[in-house]
């Protein structure tokens, strides 16, 4: 396959075949998830499931790969699936236009996946996803907080229990400890979060500042960790 010739030169045909045979689910196709999903597709992962119930909004244009003026109002998972097919028509890409939660968790058989990418922002949904994935014995790489950060080089990969500085990671460490869940690999930033100006936020809105090069850095790092796990 000509489009993968440079990758095969680096990792070898045997490892590339592992990626083609792999099935990965990406939950959350936002600033982190869209870049993670595309990196997995471009790395040749043969089957990628894309899960997100949200639609593209103007406020996404500054940082999300799926966000274009031509995609405004369209479901993010479906936009990503279409983009993936345009990159590699030989792969299998399925969009699930839904939010993961108690009502939708049974849609997924997590034992089928080689690995799961958790790019969900909502704390309760994130905790439920990690619990379900690890109950199935499936590897998972979970992204912690990428908002209110300016340094894309501050992201690290570690076991969730060994993360530091990230407020979301602190919450998830507690929740996973309470649930008795271990084996979660986390992408997290060691940069202390900044305090954004919330004067422009709508009433009741929780304003989180973000720039193009920070969530994308987290998403690419997350995808790289999954690829390395598959070919390891």
């Amino acid at each position: 396959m000509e489009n993968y010739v440079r990758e095969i030169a680096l990792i070898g045909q045997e490892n590339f075949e592992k990626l083609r045979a792999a099935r990965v689910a990406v939950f959350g196709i936002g600033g982190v998830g869209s870049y993670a999903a595309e990196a997995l597709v471009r790395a040749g992962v043969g089957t990628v499931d894309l899960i997100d119930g949200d639609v593209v909004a103007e406020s996404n244009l500054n940082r999300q790969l799926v966000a274009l003026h031509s995609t405004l109002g369209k479901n993010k998972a479906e936009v990503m699936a279409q983009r993936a097919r345009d990159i590699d028509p030989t792969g299998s890409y399925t969009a699930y236009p839904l939010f993961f939660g108690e009502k939708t968790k049974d849609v997924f058989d997590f034992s089928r996946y080689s690995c799961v990418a958790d790019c969900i922002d909502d704390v309760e949904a994130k905790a439920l996803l990690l619990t379900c994935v690890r109950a199935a014995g499936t590897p998972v790489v979970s992204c912690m907080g990428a908002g209110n950060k300016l340094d894309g080089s501050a992201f690290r990969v570690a076991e969730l229990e060994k993360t530091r500085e990230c407020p979301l990671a602190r919450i998830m460490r507690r929740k996973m400890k309470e649930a008795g869940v271990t084996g979660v690999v986390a992408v997290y930033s060691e940069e202390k979060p900044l305090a954004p100006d919330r004067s422009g936020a709508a009433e009741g809105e929780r304003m989180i500042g973000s720039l193009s090069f920070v969530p994308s850095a987290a998403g690419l790092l997350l995808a790289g960790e999954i690829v390395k796990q598959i070919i390891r």
Side-chain angles (χ1 to χ4, degrees), residues 2-85:
E2 185 63 28
N3 48 323
Y4 295 112
V5 65
R6 292 176 183 268
E7 177 177 347
I8 293 170
L10 185 63
I11 67 173
Q13 186 67 38
E14 182 179 352
N15 281 329
F16 179 70
E17 292 302 328
K18 292 179 183 178
L19 292 172
R20 292 310 278 174
R23 180 171 192 157
V24 176
V26 182
F27 285 81
I29 313 297
V32 174
S34 60
Y35 279 88
E38 179 148 329
L40 291 168
V41 170
R42 290 187 184 275
V45 174
T47 303
V48 182
D49 290 352
L50 305 152
I51 301 94
D52 200 314
D54 201 8
V55 298
V56 179
E58 285 191 51
S59 60
N60 303 148
L61 286 166
N62 78 318
R63 68 194 185 284
Q64 298 187 12
L65 204 55
V66 293
L68 306 167
H69 281 92
S70 60
T71 62
L72 291 175
K74 296 181 180 180
N75 174 262
K76 293 178 182 180
E78 291 175 343
V79 171
M80 191 69 241
Q82 183 177 3
R83 185 178 173 96
R85 295 184 195 107

